[in-house]
Amino acid sequence: QVQLVESGGGLVQTGGSLRLSCVVSGTDSSINGVDWYRQGPGKQRELLAAGPSGGSPTYAASVNGRFTISRDAAKSTVYLQMNSLKPEDTAVYYCTTVVQYRRYWGQGTQVTVSS
C-alpha cells in the first residue's frame, strides 16, 4: 500500500521559515514524482512545486524564490523548504504522487502564518 506522510507544519510568524517532510512508503517508484500542493481556507487545491522529471523543479509563481523542493532518496523523503512566509501561505500542505496510474495523497499538514 502506497503511503505518504507529511510532517513539519505549525504556527510561524510572518517572515519565518518551515521545512515540511513527506515520507513515501509502499512503492519502488522514484520520489522524483512527488509534488507538493496546498489548500487554503475557502480556496482550491493548488500545485506549488513539481518535479524534477528530467529537469529542474517548477514552482507556482506565488512561491517561486521562497520555496524549494528537495529529495533524499535514501530516506524516501521529499522536503519543502519554505522561507519568507506570508499570511497568505496559511493552508494545509499535501504531498502527492502517481503510482501505476493512481494518485495518492498524504493526510496533509497545517501551516499557519501569523501577521
Side-chain angles (χ1 to χ4, degrees):
Q1 178 72 14
V2 178
Q3 287 190 318
L4 297 89
V5 179
E6 303 97 336
S7 62
L11 175 64
V12 64
Q13 291 186 333
T14 296
S17 298
L18 284 173
R19 189 178 78 159
L20 306 183
S21 300
C22 172
V23 179
V24 183
S25 62
T27 177
D28 292 329
S29 296
S30 170
I31 59 172
N32 283 350
V34 176
D35 304 325
W36 283 97
Y37 282 70
R38 71 182 177 189
Q39 187 165 18
K43 298 180 180 179
Q44 290 188 331
R45 196 169 294 190
E46 64 170 329
L47 175 62
L48 293 180
S53 297
S56 299
T58 58
Y59 298 94
S62 57
V63 305
N64 195 28
R66 299 188 298 124
F67 291 12
T68 304
I69 191 171
S70 62
R71 307 168 195 275
D72 185 335
K75 296 182 179 179
S76 295
T77 301
V78 181
Y79 302 99
L80 185 68
Q81 178 67 42
M82 307 187 296
N83 299 327
S84 302
L85 284 163
K86 306 174 182 179
E88 51 263 44
D89 294 320
T90 295
V92 179
Y93 285 69
Y94 300 90
C95 56
T96 180
T97 193
V98 174
V99 177
Q100 295 184 344
Y101 307 106
R102 178 180 174 181
R103 181 166 291 281
Y104 294 87
W105 295 88
Q107 82 287 350
T109 185
Q110 175 71 45
V111 172
T112 303
V113 185
S114 64
S115 56

